Amino acid sequence: MTINAPRGTNDILPPDSFKWQYLEEKAKEICRKYNYKEIRTPIFESTDLFIRGIGESTDIVEKEMYTFKDKGGRSITLRPEGTAPVVRSFIENKLYGKALPFKFFYSGPMFRYERPQAGRYRQFHQFGVEVLGSDNPLVDVEIIKLGIDFLKEVGLSDFFVEINSVGCKECRPPYLEKLKNYFSEVNQELCGDCKRRIETNPLRVLDCKVESCQEIIKDAPKITDNLCDKCKDDFEKVKNGLNTLKIEYREVPTLVRGLDYYTNTAFEIKSDELGSQDAIFAGGRYNGLIEEIGDRDIPGVGFALGLERLEILLEGKELDIESGIDIYIVTIGESAEREGFKYLNQLRESGISADKDYFGRSVKSQMKDADRKNSNYTIILGNEELESGQATLRNMKSGEEFSVVLSELSEKVSDLLDN
Ligand code: HAM
């Protein structure tokens, strides 16, 4: 029986892998511009980190984590997201003692046992940023702008921004009481999940997609009408900042996130082209998370972007991707193959991407192979060329030909490529 990749996972094959490299490179470029530095945390962490960080009653912790005991009996979880690990690392490495804020970015695989569908996988990849150590609402605006810059840079324009404030530890508890009371009165009309959530996580009821629940949610008390003065003020500052940068947004008072650590600003950048999994990137503030994990009252804010979703949106779009090679060496006969192999390695040592045939194919088949490999130039080496020390370089796109002295092959190819 053949073995296939586990459900909800994908192989990223060439030429698609070039698209991934391109996206990761663009993300890095934007982060350089914004002065965000890369952080790499382990793929697996202690399970407690996510229980405490994301929240016990969230879907992720209740149903979606890949958790197992390692051989030492420790409970380990494949990271379902990147924020809690970044915060763990920040605390463990005592980075709070250095100049704040710390601005991080990361990109890599995350794991959630979800029901796979278009845009939703069990192993997926996020590019994310986290800023630790500043509660200035302009930082919230900065990261939204960073994400939008990235989307624009890769050629997307069809997306919209939704924002909300989910309050803080002062104003949220009384709001949650109000919400509980409201939903308890209409309990019978809610779906099973929502009935359960009234007690465990009433905020999540606002996120229910069931039509009959939507009717009830419409008239529920709004968090933005129940914010304390500081949260209200901060939310105004976020909106003003977005206005200053001419970033259009919709205020959505029912926007709550699936992770419990959020406070104040919550946002989602969505596209109608993505169907039900419509968030390209999403995040917000988590001013209580660092204290929850590490007993230090330090604020944080960040987002994560689903690279698979971005890839879906980029399908069929022309990207500035170089997936071919500079030169392909065609050889005729054994001694030419040996010499060709030498030239191949000289070219590579000079920084030129080069390849050759390893099947002893005919010249015609080697030319076809060069075409398949999307080579800019070919050169044919046979006994005649080796004896004269000269050969012909052919530009595969224009058909132009250039005579070249073999001892100067690398320089000649470099010159041609530069021009
Ligand atoms: P999240 O909303 O769970 O937030 O995920 C962020 C993004 O990751 C989503 O908008 C989506 O693009 C992508 N994503 C999530 N789950 C899947 C999946 N199963 N398959 C494919 N793509 C997916 C977080 O993860 C937070 N850590 C974001 C954050 C950072 N908040 C503050 N800082």
Side-chain angles (χ1 to χ4, degrees):
M1 213 170 64
T2 52
I3 300 174
N4 294 329
R7 193 165 134 75
T9 68
N10 297 298
D11 295 316
I12 301 169
L13 305 172
D16 281 352
S17 47
F18 284 98
K19 215 191 265 182
W20 280 76
Q21 288 174 357
Y22 168 84
L23 293 176
E24 283 158 1
E25 201 36 57
K26 286 287 170 206
K28 277 185 200 154
E29 262 173 39
I30 300 273
C31 286
R32 259 195 300 273
K33 227 177 351 185
Y34 277 77
N35 193 28
Y36 285 57
K37 309 260 160 66
E38 184 174 13
I39 179 168
R40 299 188 189 203
T41 61
I43 300 285
F44 59 84
E45 297 269 359
S46 296
T47 302
D48 281 345
L49 173 68
F50 300 113
I51 296 180
R52 241 154 77 188
I54 299 173
E56 218 153 349
S57 62
T58 57
D59 282 351
I60 296 182
V61 170
E62 273 186 352
K63 307 186 243 184
E64 297 170 1
M65 295 206 301
Y66 280 90
T67 297
F68 56 94
K69 286 260 161 65
D70 71 6
K71 295 203 192 305
R74 304 168 197 89
S75 182
I76 294 292
T77 293
L78 299 185
R79 60 181 189 193
E81 60 106 45
T83 311
V86 168
V87 167
R88 196 249 333 120
S89 173
F90 175 80
I91 296 161
E92 191 172 336
N93 293 291
K94 300 192 174 52
L95 300 180
Y96 46 78
K98 308 213 163 137
L100 295 178
F102 253 87
K103 296 178 172 189
F104 294 112
F105 80 88
Y106 52 87
S107 111
M110 308 289 161
F111 307 85
R112 296 183 194 175
Y113 190 77
E114 297 198 79
R115 207 154 39 80
Q117 61 181 87
R120 190 164 73 189
Y121 312 99
R122 291 184 175 167
Q123 174 173 318
F124 58 99
H125 296 77
Q126 286 185 339
F127 154 60
V129 303
E130 312 290 348
V131 181
L132 305 182
S134 168
D135 70 352
N136 188 334
L138 280 184
V139 181
D140 310 18
V141 180
E142 173 172 294
I143 62 166
I144 294 174
K145 178 71 164 71
L146 185 158
I148 289 178
D149 277 5
F150 175 51
L151 296 185
K152 288 192 172 155
E153 181 67 29
V154 299
L156 288 186
S157 53
D158 209 5
F159 52 81
F160 52 92
V161 179
E162 293 188 343
I163 58 165
N164 191 22
S165 170
V166 295
C168 66
K169 62 176 184 222
E170 303 302 326
C171 54
R172 192 156 44 186
Y175 168 70
L176 291 184
E177 270 314 303
K178 258 194 203 176
L179 207 55
K180 262 190 204 171
N181 290 340
Y182 171 81
F183 286 131
S184 299
E185 275 174 25
V186 286
N187 187 325
Q188 289 315 312
E189 294 157 58
L190 293 168
C191 73
D193 268 351
C194 285
K195 277 192 187 122
R196 201 170 43 83
R197 282 182 181 141
I198 296 177
E199 285 311 317
T200 58
N201 204 342
L203 214 53
R204 291 291 292 159
V205 178
L206 295 176
D207 201 28
C208 182
K209 302 285 182 281
V210 175
E211 216 168 293
S212 52
C213 294
Q214 287 278 324
E215 277 303 303
I216 298 163
I217 292 163
K218 233 174 39 204
D219 298 323
K222 293 186 174 44
I223 177 99
T224 34
D225 295 334
N226 291 274
L227 295 174
C228 63
D229 288 345
K230 165 95 170 80
C231 286
K232 228 184 264 171
D233 191 45
D234 281 355
F235 195 37
E236 281 308 308
K237 285 183 175 143
V238 171
K239 289 187 277 182
N240 286 338
L242 291 171
N243 291 334
T244 306
L245 299 187
K246 300 203 164 34
I247 296 172
E248 285 179 28
Y249 58 85
R250 297 178 195 162
E251 270 185 75
V252 179
T254 52
L255 192 165
V256 288
R257 308 262 309 117
L259 306 97
D260 278 355
Y261 48 62
Y262 290 107
T263 60
N264 306 80
T265 319
F267 59 84
E268 295 188 337
I269 285 58
K270 297 179 172 178
S271 165
D272 285 330
E273 289 169 44
L274 281 173
S276 64
Q277 302 304 309
D278 59 357
I280 319 172
F281 74 89
R285 258 199 183 273
Y286 44 86
N287 288 349
L289 181 60
I290 303 179
E291 194 165 21
E292 180 68 43
I293 295 174
D295 286 336
R296 270 172 199 263
D297 184 13
I298 295 172
V301 64
F303 74 70
L305 177 147
L307 286 164
E308 281 81 1
R309 295 196 187 166
L310 189 53
E311 222 220 342
I312 293 175
L313 292 171
L314 290 172
E315 238 158 66
K317 289 204 162 70
E318 275 292 315
L319 297 177
D320 182 18
I321 294 174
E322 190 52 76
S323 64
I325 55 171
D326 297 325
I327 179 165
Y328 187 101
I329 301 185
V330 176
T331 59
I332 310 166
E334 238 176 73
S335 55
E337 181 175 28
R338 239 185 350 263
E339 281 302 298
F341 192 58
K342 212 173 73 193
Y343 286 119
L344 180 73
N345 285 288
Q346 276 173 13
L347 286 160
R348 288 171 175 168
E349 276 170 17
S350 326
I352 294 161
S353 62
D355 210 348
K356 75 178 281 303
D357 162 65
Y358 286 107
F359 282 108
R361 282 187 273 221
S362 69
V363 171
K364 197 169 156 206
S365 301
Q366 290 185 58
M367 291 302 281
K368 244 193 220 156
D369 193 35
D371 214 29
R372 224 178 3 240
K373 291 193 163 66
N374 202 6
S375 183
N376 282 321
Y377 289 91
T378 50
I379 187 166
I380 300 179
L381 299 183
N383 287 339
E384 210 176 287
E385 284 79 9
L386 296 182
E387 269 160 33
S388 66
Q390 288 219 334
T392 306
L393 265 175
R394 183 181 163 81
N395 183 318
M396 295 291 279
K397 309 266 147 55
S398 67
E400 240 179 314
E401 294 192 337
F402 308 86
S403 172
V404 57
V405 177
L406 284 175
S407 59
E408 294 166 4
L409 179 60
S410 298
E411 291 85 343
K412 179 74 182 171
V413 176
S414 284
D415 283 351
L416 287 170
L417 290 170
D418 284 348
N419 294 328

